[in-house]
Amino acid sequence: MTSAPARRLVLLGSTGSIGTQALDVLHRFPGIARVHGLAVGGSRPELVAEQVLAHRPEHLVVSDVARADEVEAAVQRACRTSGLTAPRIAAGQDAVIDVAGSLGEGDVVLNAITGSVGLLPTLAVLASGARLALANKESLVVGGHLVTEAATPGQILPVDSEHTAIAQALAGVRHDQIDHLVVTASGGPFRGRSREQLAGVTPEQALNHPTWSMGRVITTNSATLVNKALEVIEACFQFDLPEDRVQVVVHPQSIVHSMVTLVDGATIAQASPPDMRHAIGWALAHPEKLPGLATALDFSTAQSWTFEPVDEDTFDAIALARAAHREGGGAMAVYNAANEEAVDAFFAGRLDFLGITALIRAVLEHPERPRAAHADGVAGLLAVESWARETGQALISSRER
Ligand code: NDP
Ligand code: MG
């Protein structure tokens, strides 16, 4: 009989798109780590119960207090039926932060929560000394300086296909040998459309991504190219480069996940069929490689990969994010918060598709926008964020009248 691995894992956001794929990777490669804790929002009680039975965590956290009883009842029922002891269950956002920080060196936490609510758990992981496998790109977008300062070298391993690709391409490359990064973008479901053609886009159409199956917010962000914009900022912080050294190129096949151009003129690319389990397994097992983790490319049949410049006039999300990164000091937190409010309003039928980036621009350009200095720390960022959410809401309401 093989003994359980010594390395422990906490998975934040286990019921989401990344979370369920991560548990699939762990099921196939149980030697990576044993599941110590799971954290969820609380909207999928039966799935949580299934995950508890399959992975036997010691701790379970439900962030939404109003949904905790229902999740606990489903978990207790499932454990009773199977004759298992239920995990310890806690509720609330503080409990998510506690479980995020509960491990230490040699352990790993995968942060797969959606939204800037992932920032405080990210900081808790970094303080604990555990490895942070980071899918929650919003942590780096909102709190990039704080997050990178809190991390030891190599502590953050990105779980975003572009950034895991760049990290792989950079193996053996010194920082001063990098000329620039080339982040690939599928172009989303509306590639090639004009602004007029985007005006009537519905949430259903926005959710129909051509190559990736993901959660609702990131899928909408892929349609507006806000996701690519967030990824430019994520790359700046993850790889310590200014935004003008992070280029975006449209690559509709989503096979080349990103590239690095070196000072000597060579470009190094990472390629594999689109499958997030590759990025997840890479980050969890690094520096080991998991045999058969994902299907490899098959060159026995003809294929072509194409690359084209991104249409930044039609999709203004990227230019707005570049400006926010150049400004620094809370502008990126404003960008992200305005987008999160806009996406909710789009799904509620209160904002049209083009209104999403228009709202980000309006909140960023608001004459009363507060600035957060570096010294203001997390509290300063959170204050700027809540201003951006309230201002975004007020602008949405005023447009409805
Ligand atoms: P989903 O919306 O599918 O999943 C989000 C998960 O977080 C769910 O388990 C949800 O629980 C849980 N959750 C929500 N709020 C909280 C909270 N406050 N505390 C703890 N858990 C919470 O998102 P994705 O998996 O698509 O994305 C997760 C992150 O990964 C995002 O930042 C995204 O940008 C990034 N990412 C995703 C990719 C993908 O392919 N999906 C690719 C690259 C990056 P519940 O189910 O109860 O709501
Ligand atoms: Mg990505």
Side-chain angles (χ1 to χ4, degrees):
M1 204 178 114
T2 54
S3 59
R7 181 152 62 156
R8 297 174 297 173
L9 175 128
V10 162
L11 174 47
L12 311 175
S14 65
T15 48
S17 162
I18 293 289
T20 50
Q21 293 181 85
L23 289 177
D24 182 38
V25 170
L26 285 169
H27 179 70
R28 286 176 51 219
F29 299 93
I32 294 177
R34 73 191 146 86
V35 179
H36 176 76
L38 300 177
V40 298
S43 66
R44 291 172 258 206
E46 295 306 326
L47 178 56
V48 179
E50 277 173 37
Q51 294 184 340
V52 165
L53 291 189
H55 296 276
R56 317 268 186 95
E58 288 160 44
H59 298 270
L60 171 66
V61 180
V62 183
S63 72
D64 185 347
V65 177
R67 294 179 182 267
D69 285 348
E70 201 189 334
V71 175
E72 178 160 11
V75 169
Q76 297 285 7
R77 204 165 41 239
C79 288
R80 231 181 0 258
T81 312
S82 311
L84 295 173
T85 313
R88 261 173 262 156
I89 303 182
Q93 202 50 46
D94 287 346
V96 176
I97 298 167
D98 288 345
V99 78
S102 66
L103 301 183
E105 220 168 301
D107 297 321
V108 58
V109 180
L110 171 54
N111 185 349
I113 300 174
T114 291
S116 64
V117 69
L119 173 62
L120 294 177
T122 279
L123 291 171
V125 180
L126 295 174
S128 76
R131 167 184 297 186
L132 173 62
L134 185 60
N136 179 256
K137 64 190 86 183
E138 295 91 339
S139 297
L140 270 179
V141 171
V142 173
H145 288 294
L146 295 172
V147 170
T148 48
E149 272 170 21
T152 54
Q155 192 180 5
I156 303 177
L157 290 170
V159 180
D160 202 350
S161 55
E162 297 75 7
H163 305 73
T164 47
I166 292 167
Q168 288 168 78
L170 284 175
V173 173
R174 288 199 318 263
H175 192 266
D176 64 313
Q177 296 170 330
I178 303 170
D179 187 79
H180 65 276
L181 310 179
V182 185
V183 172
T184 54
S186 70
F190 308 130
R191 182 171 59 92
R193 290 207 193 180
S194 64
R195 286 187 78 79
E196 294 70 46
Q197 290 168 322
L198 289 174
V201 158
T202 62
E204 291 67 37
Q205 289 169 319
L207 286 180
N208 190 16
H209 194 275
T211 45
W212 295 101
S213 164
M214 310 175 287
R216 182 177 97 163
V217 175
I218 183 173
T219 307
T220 311
N221 291 350
S222 300
T224 53
L225 293 203
V226 165
N227 182 52
K228 212 44 60 179
L230 299 180
E231 289 181 353
V232 168
I233 299 176
E234 180 187 7
C236 291
F237 285 112
Q238 179 73 41
F239 302 108
D240 192 21
L241 288 167
E243 59 78 21
D244 60 358
R245 288 171 67 193
V246 181
Q247 191 184 356
V248 176
V249 64
V250 173
H251 168 51
Q253 297 82 15
S254 298
I255 286 176
V256 173
H257 297 301
S258 277
M259 303 179 261
V260 178
T261 297
L262 305 181
V263 288
D264 64 3
T267 294
I268 306 178
Q270 186 269 356
S272 53
D275 181 349
M276 278 310 291
R277 285 171 299 191
H278 191 273
I280 295 165
W282 173 84
L284 294 182
H286 183 78
E288 300 305 321
K289 301 282 178 212
L290 301 170
L293 172 61
T295 313
L297 289 170
D298 175 9
F299 290 102
S300 64
T301 54
Q303 52 187 294
S304 38
W305 304 346
T306 58
F307 300 91
E308 59 193 72
V310 62
D311 177 0
E312 288 202 20
D313 294 331
T314 303
F315 296 94
D316 54 352
I318 297 175
L320 283 169
R322 289 187 185 282
H325 184 262
R326 282 195 302 275
E327 180 190 319
M332 293 164 280
V334 169
Y335 182 109
N336 182 69
N339 179 60
E340 289 184 12
E341 296 304 317
V343 170
D344 275 350
F346 174 59
F347 280 96
R350 300 178 63 202
L351 199 62
D352 62 14
F353 184 76
L354 289 174
I356 297 176
T357 51
L359 188 80
I360 300 173
R361 182 187 293 282
V363 177
L364 277 169
E365 291 178 352
H366 197 286
E368 286 155 31
R369 168 156 71 86
R371 306 292 200 255
H374 193 50
D376 299 335
V378 180
L381 282 177
L382 297 181
V384 165
E385 258 225 317
S386 59
W387 174 88
R389 290 186 193 283
E390 281 164 24
T391 306
Q393 282 301 335
L395 289 171
I396 294 164
S397 300
S398 70
R399 278 168 202 205
E400 283 176 329
R401 280 200 287 271

